[in-house]
Amino acid sequence: MSQSLFTRFYPIAAIATTPKAVQTLQPLCQSINATLFVPESLSNSQNAQIYTGSLKEHIASIWNEYRAFVFCMATGAVVRLIASLLDDKSRDPAVIVLDQNGYFVNSLCSGHQGGADELTRLIAHQLGATPILTGASTSLDLPGIDVLGLPFGWCKGSGDWTGVSAAISRGETVQVIQEVGSMLWQDNLPKGHPFYFGFPEINESISPKARIWISATRRQFAPDAKLPKVQWHPRVLWVGIGCERGTSRKLIEDAIAQVCQRYHLAIEAIAGIATIELKADEVGLLDYCRDRNFPLKTFDAETLRQVNVPNPSSIVAQEVGTPSVAEAAAILGGLGENLSIQNPKSEIQNPKSKIQNPLIVPKQIIKQDSEPGAVTVAIALSNLEYTGRTGQLLLVGTGPGNLEQITPAAKTAMTGADAIIGYSLYLELIESLLRPGQIIESLPITQERQRAQRAIELAQWGLTVAVVSSGDCGIYGMAGLVMEELQAKGWDGITPKVEVFPGITAAISAAARVGTPLMHDFCTISLSDLLTPWEVIVKRLEAAAMGDFVTALYNPRSQTRTQQIITAQQIFLKHRNLNTPVAIVRSVYRPDEQIVLTTLKEMLEHPIDMLTTVLIGNSSTRTYADWIITPRGYYSTYVN
Ligand code: SAH
């Protein structure tokens, strides 16, 4: 199991009060790395921590220490246990309840911001249980408005979050004014969503009942306004700083706050700080960045000098070798985030993608009598928000196409991903596993390399990206392409983090439907010569036929590649009997599955296409009734 999908909920506490509940929770806790608490009466439970006294007291004592609670007991009991502890949904931990059999997983409290809905989905996949999500937005197939920007690292600003959520759940029109930040979320809304983007024309009869601002500006909303409003702040502001040696942390902090206030900018929209290399060891600046969790980008004087700025200074140039530090650094800071993250299929372009003049605050010099030093602040707007997150690439095999044939780990990976990239046919097959708010990008099968590059780009930006292939993703699948592209980009092997989730490959699933053809040594050969020279394929066919391997042929025939399967048959006929059993298995485990049992001699008399896997038996493979059996050994110990 991929523990990394659960790390954002850490630490997790799980509570069992009966032996049956312990049985259900123990393996789960181990695989997701949660602490299991049991009462003294169950002190013989393995890997569990014992609590003494009442459960209510125990929960109260650990309430603030854990980010998520997983109870395996009656929902009513849990409600009574936690009622007095609940405070505010922006701070409360996620609370999840399982029945003792592990059939159902219920997201009880803090579904959105606490992440209980997401954790519920992950745990449900892990256990093969049914998730119970009763939140209004989930029922409408919409992402929660209070978690909308989390994948992109947006910060929540002030506003009437309950009022806006209520309007959405009533199905009322909600106006969205997005000035900055990724538009990807807009591309992935269900049909009939309640959002109206931008300002209605005068002749349009639209009357929004709530408003969502997505901007770098901080807005003050009247508390009793009729129209509930909220604001999200994508982190698009790069603050360029110049300062005297020894400037205090407080002065830097005050100066930035003052400038933001003067320009009505939200501190929450700050992506990071940029300055000259010379200041890379400036204590006050380092302290400020560390406390605020801001990245600090530094540029050398030579690089800064190249930037065109409105307010160059010859004095600064004399001192540090560039006429501008704050303005130039702010502009360069923002440029670094200039990836093309827009959805390729999107009609909507980010309004800021054509930023003419990124410097929205020219340099301001700030001093305070009580603090040493002086600070120069300038602010630039970047094209793309800084997510502050470390991306992950989950390379997922989804098996032949039936949900039951996907591993729980692969399901969990898909649920946990911010974005899912794959071939459209396979994405349709697994549609029911997708959750509201996920970014889904399906590209045609011919654009595999672009798909791999896109996945890497999104992961480098900070998203958790699942790249989905049918069968196993590491067998003629996307995983290899992603790894090759990563290597070509000089990947350090660590960031973005890569995890591979195996799936049942076509050879195995096709074999299962016809018996036990792969019981002995076998190989797979793809007949596609798009990425492999035909001579290499012929050589392998010869070797497999000569070596008496049971052989699974992938990509056997397309509309244009029709000769390959004929040659393959001829090669096998040189080494194997005419009556060698052959299975032609098409769309295995999908609704349109077709299976033909035939022989090497007659195999080409049946339809074979790109959705087919052809299994050719070895010299001892035989058919029995409607089954293909390859004996375990070559000595006929069991059968005469
Ligand atoms: N990664 C996939 C293989 C992709 S190559 C896997 O591990 O299964 C594509 C080929 O796989 C197809 O041309 C076909 O030969 C085979 N294939 C994939 N899914 C199949 C299915 N459901 N039924 C039969 N063959 C399948």
Side-chain angles (χ1 to χ4, degrees):
M1 165 48 42
S2 169
Q3 287 193 349
S4 61
L5 289 170
F6 290 89
T7 48
R8 79 185 103 148
F9 304 102
Y10 286 170
I12 305 175
I15 296 99
T17 52
T18 64
K20 178 98 188 168
V22 170
Q23 254 177 28
T24 303
L25 283 187
Q26 225 161 22
L28 178 76
C29 287
Q30 217 153 17
S31 63
I32 70 172
N33 206 3
T35 309
L36 176 61
F37 291 98
V38 297
E40 276 167 306
S41 57
L42 297 171
S43 58
N44 56 350
S45 314
Q46 275 179 1
N47 301 321
Q49 288 198 20
I50 320 288
Y51 65 84
T52 49
S54 82
L55 178 56
K56 192 159 190 167
E57 281 163 13
H58 175 63
I59 299 299
S61 72
I62 60 170
W63 186 246
N64 292 321
E65 285 169 33
Y66 286 84
R67 212 183 277 183
F69 285 82
V70 180
F71 291 93
C72 189
M73 61 181 74
T75 310
V78 177
V79 170
R80 285 173 209 289
L81 278 170
I82 64 168
S84 63
L85 301 169
L86 294 172
D87 172 22
D88 184 292
K89 66 177 175 187
S90 64
R91 286 185 297 273
D92 288 334
V95 180
I96 286 164
V97 185
L98 265 76
D99 65 305
Q100 297 204 22
N101 289 317
Y103 295 155
F104 300 100
V105 189
N106 188 357
S107 168
L108 192 68
C109 271
S110 304
H112 290 169
Q113 292 166 61
D117 283 2
E118 227 185 305
L119 186 57
T120 293
R121 280 196 176 89
L122 292 172
I123 290 179
H125 283 317
Q126 178 76 16
L127 295 175
T130 305
I132 303 176
L133 304 164
T134 52
S137 53
T138 308
S139 321
L140 294 169
D141 214 13
L142 291 171
I145 207 62
D146 49 357
V147 290
L148 185 70
L150 295 186
F152 316 111
W154 299 355
C155 292
K156 270 175 72 190
S158 63
D160 180 1
W161 293 89
T162 312
V164 174
S165 300
I168 291 175
S169 53
R170 287 193 296 268
E172 293 170 349
T173 305
V174 175
Q175 183 179 25
V176 177
I177 303 167
Q178 179 160 9
E179 297 171 336
V180 295
S182 171
M183 300 281 182
L184 281 176
W185 72 278
Q186 297 189 13
D187 291 319
N188 289 277
L189 294 168
K191 283 202 182 74
H193 65 75
F195 303 115
Y196 182 90
F197 296 100
F199 296 93
E201 301 285 329
I202 292 169
N203 54 0
E204 272 184 294
S205 59
I206 303 268
S207 62
K209 295 291 184 289
R211 183 177 298 147
I212 301 168
W213 287 95
I214 302 171
S215 82
T217 303
R218 177 200 292 279
R219 291 185 166 77
Q220 304 285 354
F221 303 137
D224 54 352
K226 275 227 181 80
L227 196 73
K229 302 179 200 78
V230 293
Q231 52 191 333
W232 274 106
H233 300 300
R235 296 178 62 185
V236 286
L237 302 177
W238 282 90
V239 180
I241 294 283
C243 64
E244 284 177 6
R245 189 50 86 194
T247 300
S248 74
R249 174 196 183 291
K250 181 169 183 311
L251 180 56
I252 294 168
E253 176 150 35
D254 289 351
I256 293 174
Q258 236 178 67
V259 172
C260 281
Q261 196 173 20
R262 199 176 300 159
Y263 284 80
H264 307 291
L265 294 170
I267 302 262
E268 292 91 335
I270 295 178
I273 308 296
T275 188
I276 188 167
E277 226 165 40
L278 220 64
K279 297 286 164 197
D281 59 353
E282 188 67 46
V283 177
L285 193 59
L286 290 177
D287 283 353
Y288 173 69
C289 289
R290 195 197 47 232
D291 294 351
R292 287 265 176 176
N293 220 353
F294 285 151
L296 178 66
K297 287 190 187 174
T298 58
F299 302 95
D300 59 24
E302 179 57 37
T303 312
L304 292 170
R305 205 166 40 217
Q306 316 290 326
V307 184
N308 243 334
V309 295
N311 302 298
S313 149
S314 52
I315 302 172
V316 175
Q318 266 177 13
E319 274 179 24
V320 294
T322 164
S324 166
V325 173
E327 291 185 346
I331 292 171
L332 289 177
L335 280 185
E337 306 299 313
N338 215 353
L339 299 164
S340 59
I341 290 294
Q342 288 308 307
N343 189 336
K345 76 175 187 224
S346 174
E347 293 291 315
I348 321 162
Q349 278 303 311
N350 188 327
K352 298 296 170 198
S353 61
K354 297 177 215 87
I355 295 174
Q356 297 292 327
N357 178 15
L359 198 72
I360 54 171
V361 176
K363 75 174 181 189
Q364 320 272 308
I365 299 169
I366 286 146
K367 293 184 191 174
Q368 278 175 0
D369 290 344
S370 56
E371 294 292 326
V375 193
T376 311
V377 177
I379 301 181
L381 194 61
S382 81
N383 262 332
L384 182 70
E385 62 270 48
Y386 170 77
T387 63
R389 303 176 65 210
T390 309
Q392 288 189 59
L393 282 163
L394 312 176
L395 311 180
V396 184
T398 55
N402 174 326
L403 293 181
E404 284 181 6
Q405 306 292 341
I406 306 181
T407 66
K411 286 185 185 171
T412 314
M414 279 187 291
T415 301
D418 301 311
I420 297 191
I421 294 186
Y423 172 48
S424 41
L425 171 68
Y426 303 140
L427 290 184
E428 277 164 33
L429 290 167
I430 55 161
E431 203 170 0
S432 63
L433 294 177
L434 308 179
R435 66 178 162 81
Q438 269 179 324
I439 298 161
I440 311 296
E441 291 187 8
S442 57
L443 291 170
I445 202 153
T446 46
Q447 294 183 14
E448 276 121 344
R449 216 162 274 286
Q450 286 92 320
R451 236 186 291 169
Q453 282 161 355
R454 174 74 179 160
I456 293 169
E457 189 179 70
L458 291 175
Q460 280 173 337
W461 184 38
L463 301 194
T464 296
V465 184
V467 182
V468 175
S469 283
S470 75
D472 183 81
C473 58
I475 299 179
Y476 315 121
M478 287 296 301
L481 280 169
V482 172
M483 295 298 263
E484 281 178 53
E485 287 293 318
L486 280 170
Q487 187 187 8
K489 283 181 189 298
W491 178 51
D492 64 359
I494 298 166
T495 313
K497 187 175 172 219
V498 170
E499 203 167 337
V500 187
F501 295 79
I504 303 176
T505 188
I508 311 284
S509 46
R513 300 293 286 138
V514 297
T516 54
L518 304 183
M519 182 50 71
H520 212 279
D521 303 335
F522 72 94
C523 66
T524 69
I525 298 179
S526 165
L527 296 191
S528 168
D529 53 1
L530 292 178
L531 301 172
T532 312
W534 178 238
E535 308 81 70
V536 173
I537 299 173
V538 167
K539 201 165 121 193
R540 291 190 184 153
L541 287 167
E542 293 276 5
M546 201 185 322
D548 202 27
F549 285 91
V550 177
T551 304
L553 300 178
Y554 283 60
N555 301 307
R557 174 156 67 192
S558 73
Q559 278 170 354
T560 49
R561 285 186 306 100
T562 51
Q563 183 57 38
Q564 283 82 346
I565 187 76
I566 301 172
T567 310
Q569 182 204 30
Q570 288 162 354
I571 292 172
F572 275 84
L573 278 172
K574 284 197 286 183
H575 301 275
R576 270 174 228 185
N577 197 303
L578 284 173
N579 292 324
T580 304
V582 166
I584 298 174
V585 186
R586 184 176 191 276
S587 291
V588 61
Y589 286 108
R590 296 182 193 161
D592 52 341
E593 179 186 89
Q594 282 165 6
I595 298 173
V596 174
L597 297 189
T598 175
T599 61
L600 194 52
K601 177 169 166 242
E602 287 167 0
M603 60 182 261
L604 296 184
E605 291 165 25
H606 303 277
I608 294 176
D609 65 8
M610 281 301 275
L611 296 176
T612 309
T613 298
V614 178
L615 299 174
I616 304 175
N618 69 14
S619 57
S620 25
T621 303
R622 54 188 178 247
T623 45
Y624 177 79
D626 279 341
W627 298 96
I628 295 185
I629 302 169
T630 296
R632 172 69 183 81
Y634 277 63
Y635 308 111
S636 44
T637 321
Y638 308 110
V639 188
N640 292 322

